[in-house]
Structures are given as structure tokens and as C-alpha cells.
PDB file of all heavy atoms in Angstrom:
ATOM      1  N   ALA A1477       2.091  -1.329 -10.040  1.00  0.00           N
ATOM      2  CA  ALA A1477       1.219  -1.102  -8.885  1.00  0.00           C
ATOM      3  C   ALA A1477       0.570  -2.385  -8.389  1.00  0.00           C
ATOM      4  O   ALA A1477       0.413  -2.592  -7.179  1.00  0.00           O
ATOM      5  CB  ALA A1477       0.148  -0.076  -9.246  1.00  0.00           C
ATOM      6  N   LYS A1478       0.173  -3.282  -9.291  1.00  0.00           N
ATOM      7  CA  LYS A1478      -0.474  -4.522  -8.857  1.00  0.00           C
ATOM      8  C   LYS A1478       0.459  -5.356  -7.997  1.00  0.00           C
ATOM      9  O   LYS A1478       0.040  -5.932  -6.980  1.00  0.00           O
ATOM     10  CB  LYS A1478      -0.941  -5.315 -10.068  1.00  0.00           C
ATOM     11  CG  LYS A1478      -2.152  -4.713 -10.777  1.00  0.00           C
ATOM     12  CD  LYS A1478      -2.633  -5.602 -11.903  1.00  0.00           C
ATOM     13  CE  LYS A1478      -3.871  -5.013 -12.572  1.00  0.00           C
ATOM     14  NZ  LYS A1478      -4.369  -5.871 -13.687  1.00  0.00           N
ATOM     15  N   ASN A1479       1.704  -5.408  -8.387  1.00  0.00           N
ATOM     16  CA  ASN A1479       2.679  -6.180  -7.610  1.00  0.00           C
ATOM     17  C   ASN A1479       2.932  -5.532  -6.254  1.00  0.00           C
ATOM     18  O   ASN A1479       3.037  -6.223  -5.231  1.00  0.00           O
ATOM     19  CB  ASN A1479       3.988  -6.307  -8.381  1.00  0.00           C
ATOM     20  CG  ASN A1479       4.929  -7.323  -7.753  1.00  0.00           C
ATOM     21  OD1 ASN A1479       4.551  -8.469  -7.520  1.00  0.00           O
ATOM     22  ND2 ASN A1479       6.144  -6.904  -7.454  1.00  0.00           N
ATOM     23  N   VAL A1480       3.012  -4.198  -6.246  1.00  0.00           N
ATOM     24  CA  VAL A1480       3.194  -3.494  -4.971  1.00  0.00           C
ATOM     25  C   VAL A1480       2.008  -3.757  -4.054  1.00  0.00           C
ATOM     26  O   VAL A1480       2.173  -4.035  -2.854  1.00  0.00           O
ATOM     27  CB  VAL A1480       3.362  -1.979  -5.206  1.00  0.00           C
ATOM     28  CG1 VAL A1480       3.454  -1.242  -3.864  1.00  0.00           C
ATOM     29  CG2 VAL A1480       4.594  -1.682  -6.036  1.00  0.00           C
ATOM     30  N   MET A1481       0.799  -3.685  -4.601  1.00  0.00           N
ATOM     31  CA  MET A1481      -0.393  -3.908  -3.791  1.00  0.00           C
ATOM     32  C   MET A1481      -0.421  -5.322  -3.216  1.00  0.00           C
ATOM     33  O   MET A1481      -0.805  -5.524  -2.057  1.00  0.00           O
ATOM     34  CB  MET A1481      -1.649  -3.653  -4.627  1.00  0.00           C
ATOM     35  CG  MET A1481      -1.915  -2.190  -4.937  1.00  0.00           C
ATOM     36  SD  MET A1481      -2.165  -1.203  -3.446  1.00  0.00           S
ATOM     37  CE  MET A1481      -3.607  -2.015  -2.754  1.00  0.00           C
ATOM     38  N   LYS A1482      -0.014  -6.281  -4.008  1.00  0.00           N
ATOM     39  CA  LYS A1482       0.012  -7.662  -3.527  1.00  0.00           C
ATOM     40  C   LYS A1482       0.917  -7.801  -2.305  1.00  0.00           C
ATOM     41  O   LYS A1482       0.549  -8.411  -1.293  1.00  0.00           O
ATOM     42  CB  LYS A1482       0.484  -8.588  -4.652  1.00  0.00           C
ATOM     43  CG  LYS A1482       0.568 -10.051  -4.259  1.00  0.00           C
ATOM     44  CD  LYS A1482       1.065 -10.897  -5.430  1.00  0.00           C
ATOM     45  CE  LYS A1482       1.221 -12.368  -5.032  1.00  0.00           C
ATOM     46  NZ  LYS A1482       1.723 -13.193  -6.166  1.00  0.00           N
ATOM     47  N   GLN A1483       2.114  -7.207  -2.388  1.00  0.00           N
ATOM     48  CA  GLN A1483       3.058  -7.284  -1.272  1.00  0.00           C
ATOM     49  C   GLN A1483       2.569  -6.456  -0.082  1.00  0.00           C
ATOM     50  O   GLN A1483       2.711  -6.866   1.083  1.00  0.00           O
ATOM     51  CB  GLN A1483       4.439  -6.787  -1.727  1.00  0.00           C
ATOM     52  CG  GLN A1483       5.073  -7.608  -2.835  1.00  0.00           C
ATOM     53  CD  GLN A1483       5.348  -9.038  -2.391  1.00  0.00           C
ATOM     54  OE1 GLN A1483       5.749  -9.284  -1.259  1.00  0.00           O
ATOM     55  NE2 GLN A1483       5.111  -9.991  -3.280  1.00  0.00           N
ATOM     56  N   ALA A1484       1.969  -5.303  -0.384  1.00  0.00           N
ATOM     57  CA  ALA A1484       1.514  -4.414   0.685  1.00  0.00           C
ATOM     58  C   ALA A1484       0.392  -5.048   1.504  1.00  0.00           C
ATOM     59  O   ALA A1484       0.329  -4.891   2.725  1.00  0.00           O
ATOM     60  CB  ALA A1484       1.051  -3.082   0.091  1.00  0.00           C
ATOM     61  N   LYS A1485      -0.482  -5.770   0.843  1.00  0.00           N
ATOM     62  CA  LYS A1485      -1.565  -6.439   1.565  1.00  0.00           C
ATOM     63  C   LYS A1485      -1.016  -7.498   2.528  1.00  0.00           C
ATOM     64  O   LYS A1485      -1.515  -7.646   3.649  1.00  0.00           O
ATOM     65  CB  LYS A1485      -2.536  -7.079   0.579  1.00  0.00           C
ATOM     66  CG  LYS A1485      -3.377  -6.066  -0.189  1.00  0.00           C
ATOM     67  CD  LYS A1485      -4.240  -6.749  -1.254  1.00  0.00           C
ATOM     68  CE  LYS A1485      -5.045  -5.740  -2.051  1.00  0.00           C
ATOM     69  NZ  LYS A1485      -5.834  -6.365  -3.137  1.00  0.00           N
ATOM     70  N   ILE A1486       0.005  -8.198   2.087  1.00  0.00           N
ATOM     71  CA  ILE A1486       0.628  -9.206   2.957  1.00  0.00           C
ATOM     72  C   ILE A1486       1.255  -8.534   4.172  1.00  0.00           C
ATOM     73  O   ILE A1486       1.076  -8.974   5.327  1.00  0.00           O
ATOM     74  CB  ILE A1486       1.683 -10.015   2.174  1.00  0.00           C
ATOM     75  CG1 ILE A1486       1.006 -10.846   1.078  1.00  0.00           C
ATOM     76  CG2 ILE A1486       2.502 -10.901   3.116  1.00  0.00           C
ATOM     77  CD1 ILE A1486       1.983 -11.509   0.120  1.00  0.00           C
ATOM     78  N   ASP A1487       1.989  -7.451   3.923  1.00  0.00           N
ATOM     79  CA  ASP A1487       2.641  -6.749   5.031  1.00  0.00           C
ATOM     80  C   ASP A1487       1.620  -6.102   5.957  1.00  0.00           C
ATOM     81  O   ASP A1487       1.836  -6.028   7.182  1.00  0.00           O
ATOM     82  CB  ASP A1487       3.606  -5.692   4.491  1.00  0.00           C
ATOM     83  CG  ASP A1487       4.915  -6.307   3.992  1.00  0.00           C
ATOM     84  OD1 ASP A1487       5.192  -7.464   4.346  1.00  0.00           O
ATOM     85  OD2 ASP A1487       5.647  -5.622   3.244  1.00  0.00           O
ATOM     86  N   PHE A1488       0.502  -5.623   5.417  1.00  0.00           N
ATOM     87  CA  PHE A1488      -0.553  -5.070   6.269  1.00  0.00           C
ATOM     88  C   PHE A1488      -1.095  -6.149   7.195  1.00  0.00           C
ATOM     89  O   PHE A1488      -1.279  -5.912   8.404  1.00  0.00           O
ATOM     90  CB  PHE A1488      -1.686  -4.496   5.413  1.00  0.00           C
ATOM     91  CG  PHE A1488      -2.803  -3.887   6.223  1.00  0.00           C
ATOM     92  CD1 PHE A1488      -2.767  -2.558   6.600  1.00  0.00           C
ATOM     93  CD2 PHE A1488      -3.899  -4.661   6.619  1.00  0.00           C
ATOM     94  CE1 PHE A1488      -3.798  -2.007   7.360  1.00  0.00           C
ATOM     95  CE2 PHE A1488      -4.932  -4.116   7.371  1.00  0.00           C
ATOM     96  CZ  PHE A1488      -4.875  -2.777   7.747  1.00  0.00           C
ATOM     97  N   GLU A1489      -1.348  -7.323   6.656  1.00  0.00           N
ATOM     98  CA  GLU A1489      -1.857  -8.426   7.482  1.00  0.00           C
ATOM     99  C   GLU A1489      -0.843  -8.856   8.532  1.00  0.00           C
ATOM    100  O   GLU A1489      -1.226  -9.427   9.555  1.00  0.00           O
ATOM    101  CB  GLU A1489      -2.223  -9.618   6.593  1.00  0.00           C
ATOM    102  CG  GLU A1489      -3.412  -9.352   5.672  1.00  0.00           C
ATOM    103  CD  GLU A1489      -4.666  -8.976   6.439  1.00  0.00           C
ATOM    104  OE1 GLU A1489      -4.902  -9.549   7.526  1.00  0.00           O
ATOM    105  OE2 GLU A1489      -5.415  -8.091   5.966  1.00  0.00           O
ATOM    106  N   ASN A1490       0.437  -8.548   8.304  1.00  0.00           N
ATOM    107  CA  ASN A1490       1.494  -8.869   9.272  1.00  0.00           C
ATOM    108  C   ASN A1490       1.780  -7.715  10.226  1.00  0.00           C
ATOM    109  O   ASN A1490       2.722  -7.785  11.025  1.00  0.00           O
ATOM    110  CB  ASN A1490       2.779  -9.261   8.547  1.00  0.00           C
ATOM    111  CG  ASN A1490       2.657 -10.620   7.873  1.00  0.00           C
ATOM    112  OD1 ASN A1490       1.928 -11.496   8.343  1.00  0.00           O
ATOM    113  ND2 ASN A1490       3.364 -10.799   6.765  1.00  0.00           N
ATOM    114  N   GLY A1491       1.003  -6.637  10.118  1.00  0.00           N
ATOM    115  CA  GLY A1491       1.148  -5.512  11.044  1.00  0.00           C
ATOM    116  C   GLY A1491       2.320  -4.597  10.760  1.00  0.00           C
ATOM    117  O   GLY A1491       2.697  -3.797  11.630  1.00  0.00           O
ATOM    118  N   GLU A1492       2.875  -4.650   9.557  1.00  0.00           N
ATOM    119  CA  GLU A1492       4.028  -3.803   9.220  1.00  0.00           C
ATOM    120  C   GLU A1492       3.534  -2.473   8.645  1.00  0.00           C
ATOM    121  O   GLU A1492       3.797  -2.119   7.498  1.00  0.00           O
ATOM    122  CB  GLU A1492       4.951  -4.531   8.243  1.00  0.00           C
ATOM    123  CG  GLU A1492       5.558  -5.797   8.832  1.00  0.00           C
ATOM    124  CD  GLU A1492       6.549  -6.466   7.887  1.00  0.00           C
ATOM    125  OE1 GLU A1492       7.366  -5.745   7.274  1.00  0.00           O
ATOM    126  OE2 GLU A1492       6.488  -7.703   7.767  1.00  0.00           O
ATOM    127  N   TYR A1493       2.833  -1.716   9.482  1.00  0.00           N
ATOM    128  CA  TYR A1493       2.112  -0.551   8.995  1.00  0.00           C
ATOM    129  C   TYR A1493       3.037   0.583   8.559  1.00  0.00           C
ATOM    130  O   TYR A1493       2.729   1.296   7.593  1.00  0.00           O
ATOM    131  CB  TYR A1493       1.142  -0.057  10.075  1.00  0.00           C
ATOM    132  CG  TYR A1493       0.173  -1.119  10.542  1.00  0.00           C
ATOM    133  CD1 TYR A1493       0.033  -1.421  11.895  1.00  0.00           C
ATOM    134  CD2 TYR A1493      -0.596  -1.840   9.617  1.00  0.00           C
ATOM    135  CE1 TYR A1493      -0.850  -2.404  12.326  1.00  0.00           C
ATOM    136  CE2 TYR A1493      -1.485  -2.828  10.044  1.00  0.00           C
ATOM    137  CZ  TYR A1493      -1.596  -3.103  11.399  1.00  0.00           C
ATOM    138  OH  TYR A1493      -2.453  -4.075  11.815  1.00  0.00           O
ATOM    139  N   ARG A1494       4.127   0.774   9.252  1.00  0.00           N
ATOM    140  CA  ARG A1494       5.031   1.871   8.876  1.00  0.00           C
ATOM    141  C   ARG A1494       5.577   1.645   7.461  1.00  0.00           C
ATOM    142  O   ARG A1494       5.641   2.581   6.651  1.00  0.00           O
ATOM    143  CB  ARG A1494       6.183   1.987   9.872  1.00  0.00           C
ATOM    144  CG  ARG A1494       5.769   2.511  11.244  1.00  0.00           C
ATOM    145  CD  ARG A1494       6.899   2.396  12.240  1.00  0.00           C
ATOM    146  NE  ARG A1494       8.059   3.190  11.849  1.00  0.00           N
ATOM    147  CZ  ARG A1494       9.277   3.008  12.342  1.00  0.00           C
ATOM    148  NH1 ARG A1494       9.507   2.041  13.236  1.00  0.00           N
ATOM    149  NH2 ARG A1494      10.277   3.788  11.961  1.00  0.00           N
ATOM    150  N   TRP A1495       5.962   0.422   7.156  1.00  0.00           N
ATOM    151  CA  TRP A1495       6.511   0.127   5.837  1.00  0.00           C
ATOM    152  C   TRP A1495       5.426   0.202   4.762  1.00  0.00           C
ATOM    153  O   TRP A1495       5.656   0.747   3.678  1.00  0.00           O
ATOM    154  CB  TRP A1495       7.174  -1.247   5.830  1.00  0.00           C
ATOM    155  CG  TRP A1495       7.665  -1.655   4.465  1.00  0.00           C
ATOM    156  CD1 TRP A1495       7.269  -2.718   3.726  1.00  0.00           C
ATOM    157  CD2 TRP A1495       8.641  -0.965   3.665  1.00  0.00           C
ATOM    158  NE1 TRP A1495       7.921  -2.757   2.526  1.00  0.00           N
ATOM    159  CE2 TRP A1495       8.772  -1.687   2.459  1.00  0.00           C
ATOM    160  CE3 TRP A1495       9.400   0.189   3.853  1.00  0.00           C
ATOM    161  CZ2 TRP A1495       9.644  -1.299   1.441  1.00  0.00           C
ATOM    162  CZ3 TRP A1495      10.271   0.583   2.839  1.00  0.00           C
ATOM    163  CH2 TRP A1495      10.385  -0.156   1.651  1.00  0.00           C
ATOM    164  N   VAL A1496       4.254  -0.296   5.081  1.00  0.00           N
ATOM    165  CA  VAL A1496       3.159  -0.237   4.112  1.00  0.00           C
ATOM    166  C   VAL A1496       2.846   1.227   3.770  1.00  0.00           C
ATOM    167  O   VAL A1496       2.619   1.577   2.606  1.00  0.00           O
ATOM    168  CB  VAL A1496       1.906  -0.953   4.650  1.00  0.00           C
ATOM    169  CG1 VAL A1496       0.715  -0.751   3.712  1.00  0.00           C
ATOM    170  CG2 VAL A1496       2.183  -2.445   4.829  1.00  0.00           C
ATOM    171  N   ALA A1497       2.865   2.093   4.772  1.00  0.00           N
ATOM    172  CA  ALA A1497       2.606   3.513   4.539  1.00  0.00           C
ATOM    173  C   ALA A1497       3.664   4.119   3.623  1.00  0.00           C
ATOM    174  O   ALA A1497       3.339   4.902   2.717  1.00  0.00           O
ATOM    175  CB  ALA A1497       2.558   4.263   5.870  1.00  0.00           C
ATOM    176  N   GLN A1498       4.922   3.771   3.850  1.00  0.00           N
ATOM    177  CA  GLN A1498       5.992   4.293   3.000  1.00  0.00           C
ATOM    178  C   GLN A1498       5.824   3.842   1.550  1.00  0.00           C
ATOM    179  O   GLN A1498       5.943   4.640   0.616  1.00  0.00           O
ATOM    180  CB  GLN A1498       7.350   3.803   3.514  1.00  0.00           C
ATOM    181  CG  GLN A1498       7.928   4.604   4.663  1.00  0.00           C
ATOM    182  CD  GLN A1498       9.304   4.085   5.051  1.00  0.00           C
ATOM    183  OE1 GLN A1498       9.440   3.340   6.008  1.00  0.00           O
ATOM    184  NE2 GLN A1498      10.310   4.473   4.304  1.00  0.00           N
ATOM    185  N   VAL A1499       5.553   2.571   1.374  1.00  0.00           N
ATOM    186  CA  VAL A1499       5.473   2.013   0.023  1.00  0.00           C
ATOM    187  C   VAL A1499       4.258   2.548  -0.721  1.00  0.00           C
ATOM    188  O   VAL A1499       4.348   2.966  -1.884  1.00  0.00           O
ATOM    189  CB  VAL A1499       5.439   0.471   0.085  1.00  0.00           C
ATOM    190  CG1 VAL A1499       5.121  -0.108  -1.282  1.00  0.00           C
ATOM    191  CG2 VAL A1499       6.772  -0.066   0.593  1.00  0.00           C
ATOM    192  N   LEU A1500       3.098   2.556  -0.051  1.00  0.00           N
ATOM    193  CA  LEU A1500       1.879   2.966  -0.739  1.00  0.00           C
ATOM    194  C   LEU A1500       1.845   4.459  -1.044  1.00  0.00           C
ATOM    195  O   LEU A1500       1.136   4.890  -1.970  1.00  0.00           O
ATOM    196  CB  LEU A1500       0.659   2.562   0.082  1.00  0.00           C
ATOM    197  CG  LEU A1500       0.380   1.057   0.144  1.00  0.00           C
ATOM    198  CD1 LEU A1500      -0.885   0.780   0.932  1.00  0.00           C
ATOM    199  CD2 LEU A1500       0.259   0.463  -1.256  1.00  0.00           C
ATOM    200  N   LYS A1501       2.598   5.253  -0.308  1.00  0.00           N
ATOM    201  CA  LYS A1501       2.717   6.664  -0.673  1.00  0.00           C
ATOM    202  C   LYS A1501       3.221   6.781  -2.109  1.00  0.00           C
ATOM    203  O   LYS A1501       2.731   7.616  -2.887  1.00  0.00           O
ATOM    204  CB  LYS A1501       3.652   7.400   0.289  1.00  0.00           C
ATOM    205  CG  LYS A1501       3.886   8.855  -0.109  1.00  0.00           C
ATOM    206  CD  LYS A1501       4.931   9.528   0.769  1.00  0.00           C
ATOM    207  CE  LYS A1501       5.219  10.941   0.271  1.00  0.00           C
ATOM    208  NZ  LYS A1501       6.275  11.615   1.064  1.00  0.00           N
ATOM    209  N   ASN A1502       4.185   5.947  -2.473  1.00  0.00           N
ATOM    210  CA  ASN A1502       4.720   5.989  -3.829  1.00  0.00           C
ATOM    211  C   ASN A1502       3.665   5.617  -4.868  1.00  0.00           C
ATOM    212  O   ASN A1502       3.578   6.227  -5.936  1.00  0.00           O
ATOM    213  CB  ASN A1502       5.920   5.050  -3.940  1.00  0.00           C
ATOM    214  CG  ASN A1502       7.111   5.539  -3.148  1.00  0.00           C
ATOM    215  OD1 ASN A1502       7.616   6.628  -3.383  1.00  0.00           O
ATOM    216  ND2 ASN A1502       7.557   4.732  -2.198  1.00  0.00           N
ATOM    217  N   VAL A1503       2.852   4.630  -4.551  1.00  0.00           N
ATOM    218  CA  VAL A1503       1.811   4.215  -5.492  1.00  0.00           C
ATOM    219  C   VAL A1503       0.800   5.341  -5.699  1.00  0.00           C
ATOM    220  O   VAL A1503       0.401   5.645  -6.825  1.00  0.00           O
ATOM    221  CB  VAL A1503       1.102   2.937  -4.993  1.00  0.00           C
ATOM    222  CG1 VAL A1503      -0.001   2.525  -5.968  1.00  0.00           C
ATOM    223  CG2 VAL A1503       2.104   1.802  -4.810  1.00  0.00           C
ATOM    224  N   VAL A1504       0.390   5.976  -4.602  1.00  0.00           N
ATOM    225  CA  VAL A1504      -0.607   7.044  -4.690  1.00  0.00           C
ATOM    226  C   VAL A1504      -0.029   8.276  -5.383  1.00  0.00           C
ATOM    227  O   VAL A1504      -0.718   8.933  -6.170  1.00  0.00           O
ATOM    228  CB  VAL A1504      -1.145   7.389  -3.290  1.00  0.00           C
ATOM    229  CG1 VAL A1504      -2.053   8.618  -3.340  1.00  0.00           C
ATOM    230  CG2 VAL A1504      -1.911   6.202  -2.700  1.00  0.00           C
ATOM    231  N   MET A1505       1.224   8.597  -5.096  1.00  0.00           N
ATOM    232  CA  MET A1505       1.832   9.736  -5.774  1.00  0.00           C
ATOM    233  C   MET A1505       2.000   9.470  -7.272  1.00  0.00           C
ATOM    234  O   MET A1505       1.891  10.380  -8.098  1.00  0.00           O
ATOM    235  CB  MET A1505       3.179  10.076  -5.131  1.00  0.00           C
ATOM    236  CG  MET A1505       3.059  10.717  -3.760  1.00  0.00           C
ATOM    237  SD  MET A1505       2.160  12.297  -3.842  1.00  0.00           S
ATOM    238  CE  MET A1505       1.726  12.538  -2.118  1.00  0.00           C
ATOM    239  N   ALA A1506       2.265   8.229  -7.619  1.00  0.00           N
ATOM    240  CA  ALA A1506       2.386   7.878  -9.036  1.00  0.00           C
ATOM    241  C   ALA A1506       1.037   7.878  -9.736  1.00  0.00           C
ATOM    242  O   ALA A1506       0.934   8.239 -10.910  1.00  0.00           O
ATOM    243  CB  ALA A1506       3.045   6.498  -9.177  1.00  0.00           C
ATOM    244  N   ASP A1507      -0.014   7.501  -9.007  1.00  0.00           N
ATOM    245  CA  ASP A1507      -1.355   7.441  -9.598  1.00  0.00           C
ATOM    246  C   ASP A1507      -2.392   7.760  -8.532  1.00  0.00           C
ATOM    247  O   ASP A1507      -2.886   6.865  -7.836  1.00  0.00           O
ATOM    248  CB  ASP A1507      -1.610   6.055 -10.187  1.00  0.00           C
ATOM    249  CG  ASP A1507      -3.002   5.938 -10.799  1.00  0.00           C
ATOM    250  OD1 ASP A1507      -3.687   6.979 -10.937  1.00  0.00           O
ATOM    251  OD2 ASP A1507      -3.417   4.806 -11.130  1.00  0.00           O
ATOM    252  N   PRO A1508      -2.745   9.036  -8.374  1.00  0.00           N
ATOM    253  CA  PRO A1508      -3.711   9.414  -7.337  1.00  0.00           C
ATOM    254  C   PRO A1508      -5.120   8.904  -7.590  1.00  0.00           C
ATOM    255  O   PRO A1508      -5.994   9.035  -6.723  1.00  0.00           O
ATOM    256  CB  PRO A1508      -3.666  10.944  -7.365  1.00  0.00           C
ATOM    257  CG  PRO A1508      -3.155  11.289  -8.726  1.00  0.00           C
ATOM    258  CD  PRO A1508      -2.217  10.191  -9.107  1.00  0.00           C
ATOM    259  N   ASN A1509      -5.359   8.298  -8.735  1.00  0.00           N
ATOM    260  CA  ASN A1509      -6.674   7.723  -9.027  1.00  0.00           C
ATOM    261  C   ASN A1509      -6.751   6.233  -8.685  1.00  0.00           C
ATOM    262  O   ASN A1509      -7.766   5.598  -8.946  1.00  0.00           O
ATOM    263  CB  ASN A1509      -7.014   7.931 -10.505  1.00  0.00           C
ATOM    264  CG  ASN A1509      -7.185   9.398 -10.852  1.00  0.00           C
ATOM    265  OD1 ASN A1509      -7.833  10.143 -10.123  1.00  0.00           O
ATOM    266  ND2 ASN A1509      -6.583   9.818 -11.953  1.00  0.00           N
ATOM    267  N   ASN A1510      -5.692   5.691  -8.106  1.00  0.00           N
ATOM    268  CA  ASN A1510      -5.672   4.280  -7.728  1.00  0.00           C
ATOM    269  C   ASN A1510      -6.430   4.127  -6.404  1.00  0.00           C
ATOM    270  O   ASN A1510      -5.857   4.262  -5.320  1.00  0.00           O
ATOM    271  CB  ASN A1510      -4.229   3.785  -7.596  1.00  0.00           C
ATOM    272  CG  ASN A1510      -4.140   2.286  -7.404  1.00  0.00           C
ATOM    273  OD1 ASN A1510      -5.002   1.663  -6.784  1.00  0.00           O
ATOM    274  ND2 ASN A1510      -3.065   1.692  -7.927  1.00  0.00           N
ATOM    275  N   THR A1511      -7.715   3.871  -6.506  1.00  0.00           N
ATOM    276  CA  THR A1511      -8.573   3.819  -5.323  1.00  0.00           C
ATOM    277  C   THR A1511      -8.187   2.697  -4.379  1.00  0.00           C
ATOM    278  O   THR A1511      -8.228   2.855  -3.151  1.00  0.00           O
ATOM    279  CB  THR A1511     -10.045   3.652  -5.748  1.00  0.00           C
ATOM    280  OG1 THR A1511     -10.397   4.741  -6.607  1.00  0.00           O
ATOM    281  CG2 THR A1511     -10.972   3.627  -4.543  1.00  0.00           C
ATOM    282  N   GLU A1512      -7.806   1.568  -4.921  1.00  0.00           N
ATOM    283  CA  GLU A1512      -7.418   0.434  -4.075  1.00  0.00           C
ATOM    284  C   GLU A1512      -6.218   0.806  -3.214  1.00  0.00           C
ATOM    285  O   GLU A1512      -6.185   0.500  -2.012  1.00  0.00           O
ATOM    286  CB  GLU A1512      -7.086  -0.786  -4.946  1.00  0.00           C
ATOM    287  CG  GLU A1512      -6.779  -2.038  -4.124  1.00  0.00           C
ATOM    288  CD  GLU A1512      -6.382  -3.230  -4.977  1.00  0.00           C
ATOM    289  OE1 GLU A1512      -5.964  -3.008  -6.144  1.00  0.00           O
ATOM    290  OE2 GLU A1512      -6.475  -4.375  -4.483  1.00  0.00           O
ATOM    291  N   ALA A1513      -5.228   1.471  -3.812  1.00  0.00           N
ATOM    292  CA  ALA A1513      -4.034   1.876  -3.059  1.00  0.00           C
ATOM    293  C   ALA A1513      -4.386   2.920  -2.008  1.00  0.00           C
ATOM    294  O   ALA A1513      -3.907   2.863  -0.868  1.00  0.00           O
ATOM    295  CB  ALA A1513      -2.974   2.411  -4.017  1.00  0.00           C
ATOM    296  N   LYS A1514      -5.237   3.860  -2.377  1.00  0.00           N
ATOM    297  CA  LYS A1514      -5.612   4.902  -1.411  1.00  0.00           C
ATOM    298  C   LYS A1514      -6.376   4.315  -0.234  1.00  0.00           C
ATOM    299  O   LYS A1514      -6.159   4.708   0.924  1.00  0.00           O
ATOM    300  CB  LYS A1514      -6.454   5.979  -2.110  1.00  0.00           C
ATOM    301  CG  LYS A1514      -5.647   6.852  -3.058  1.00  0.00           C
ATOM    302  CD  LYS A1514      -6.378   8.136  -3.436  1.00  0.00           C
ATOM    303  CE  LYS A1514      -7.614   7.878  -4.251  1.00  0.00           C
ATOM    304  NZ  LYS A1514      -8.248   9.155  -4.681  1.00  0.00           N
ATOM    305  N   ASN A1515      -7.240   3.366  -0.489  1.00  0.00           N
ATOM    306  CA  ASN A1515      -8.010   2.761   0.608  1.00  0.00           C
ATOM    307  C   ASN A1515      -7.128   1.952   1.545  1.00  0.00           C
ATOM    308  O   ASN A1515      -7.308   1.992   2.766  1.00  0.00           O
ATOM    309  CB  ASN A1515      -9.124   1.892   0.041  1.00  0.00           C
ATOM    310  CG  ASN A1515     -10.268   2.716  -0.528  1.00  0.00           C
ATOM    311  OD1 ASN A1515     -10.441   3.884  -0.172  1.00  0.00           O
ATOM    312  ND2 ASN A1515     -11.058   2.123  -1.417  1.00  0.00           N
ATOM    313  N   LEU A1516      -6.174   1.200   0.977  1.00  0.00           N
ATOM    314  CA  LEU A1516      -5.282   0.432   1.840  1.00  0.00           C
ATOM    315  C   LEU A1516      -4.355   1.363   2.618  1.00  0.00           C
ATOM    316  O   LEU A1516      -4.054   1.114   3.794  1.00  0.00           O
ATOM    317  CB  LEU A1516      -4.465  -0.574   1.017  1.00  0.00           C
ATOM    318  CG  LEU A1516      -3.544  -1.494   1.833  1.00  0.00           C
ATOM    319  CD1 LEU A1516      -4.315  -2.256   2.909  1.00  0.00           C
ATOM    320  CD2 LEU A1516      -2.804  -2.473   0.914  1.00  0.00           C
ATOM    321  N   LEU A1517      -3.912   2.446   1.981  1.00  0.00           N
ATOM    322  CA  LEU A1517      -3.089   3.419   2.702  1.00  0.00           C
ATOM    323  C   LEU A1517      -3.899   4.069   3.824  1.00  0.00           C
ATOM    324  O   LEU A1517      -3.387   4.285   4.933  1.00  0.00           O
ATOM    325  CB  LEU A1517      -2.561   4.481   1.731  1.00  0.00           C
ATOM    326  CG  LEU A1517      -1.633   5.552   2.321  1.00  0.00           C
ATOM    327  CD1 LEU A1517      -0.450   4.935   3.059  1.00  0.00           C
ATOM    328  CD2 LEU A1517      -1.150   6.495   1.223  1.00  0.00           C
ATOM    329  N   ALA A1518      -5.167   4.344   3.574  1.00  0.00           N
ATOM    330  CA  ALA A1518      -6.040   4.898   4.612  1.00  0.00           C
ATOM    331  C   ALA A1518      -6.203   3.920   5.769  1.00  0.00           C
ATOM    332  O   ALA A1518      -6.134   4.306   6.947  1.00  0.00           O
ATOM    333  CB  ALA A1518      -7.399   5.258   4.021  1.00  0.00           C
ATOM    334  N   ASP A1519      -6.407   2.642   5.466  1.00  0.00           N
ATOM    335  CA  ASP A1519      -6.512   1.625   6.521  1.00  0.00           C
ATOM    336  C   ASP A1519      -5.231   1.582   7.351  1.00  0.00           C
ATOM    337  O   ASP A1519      -5.269   1.393   8.575  1.00  0.00           O
ATOM    338  CB  ASP A1519      -6.767   0.252   5.902  1.00  0.00           C
ATOM    339  CG  ASP A1519      -8.126   0.148   5.208  1.00  0.00           C
ATOM    340  OD1 ASP A1519      -8.982   1.028   5.434  1.00  0.00           O
ATOM    341  OD2 ASP A1519      -8.310  -0.815   4.427  1.00  0.00           O
TER     342      ASP A1519
END
């Protein structure tokens, strides 16, 4: 998850929102208690 979050933050800053949403769904489904992932997915 840490590695996914690192890449997702970069892609979010680059405006690749559709891909970030796809990727972070997997992180949240794997661990619904990952607050950092849920907040970035919400953003």
C-alpha cells in the first residue's frame, strides 16, 4: 500500500484522476481502515 500511495500521489498531482480512482479502489478494498488511501480517493 505504501508504494501504491506514493505513485498515486504523483499521478493525482498530474491530474490523472481516473487512474488514481481505479488504483486506490484496490487499496481501500484490501484495507478499508487505510485512512490515507480513503482520503486521497475522496479527493
Side-chain angles (χ1 to χ4, degrees):
K1478 288 184 178 180
N1479 191 53
V1480 176
M1481 288 299 299
K1482 179 181 177 181
Q1483 298 297 321
K1485 289 175 182 177
I1486 294 171
D1487 283 343
F1488 181 89
E1489 293 301 322
N1490 289 330
E1492 297 184 43
Y1493 304 127
R1494 290 171 62 198
W1495 175 242
V1496 173
Q1498 278 183 261
V1499 170
L1500 290 182
K1501 176 186 175 182
N1502 291 301
V1503 179
V1504 173
M1505 288 299 163
D1507 179 10
N1509 294 315
N1510 188 327
T1511 302
E1512 185 183 21
K1514 288 196 294 184
N1515 286 339
L1516 183 55
L1517 182 54
D1519 294 345

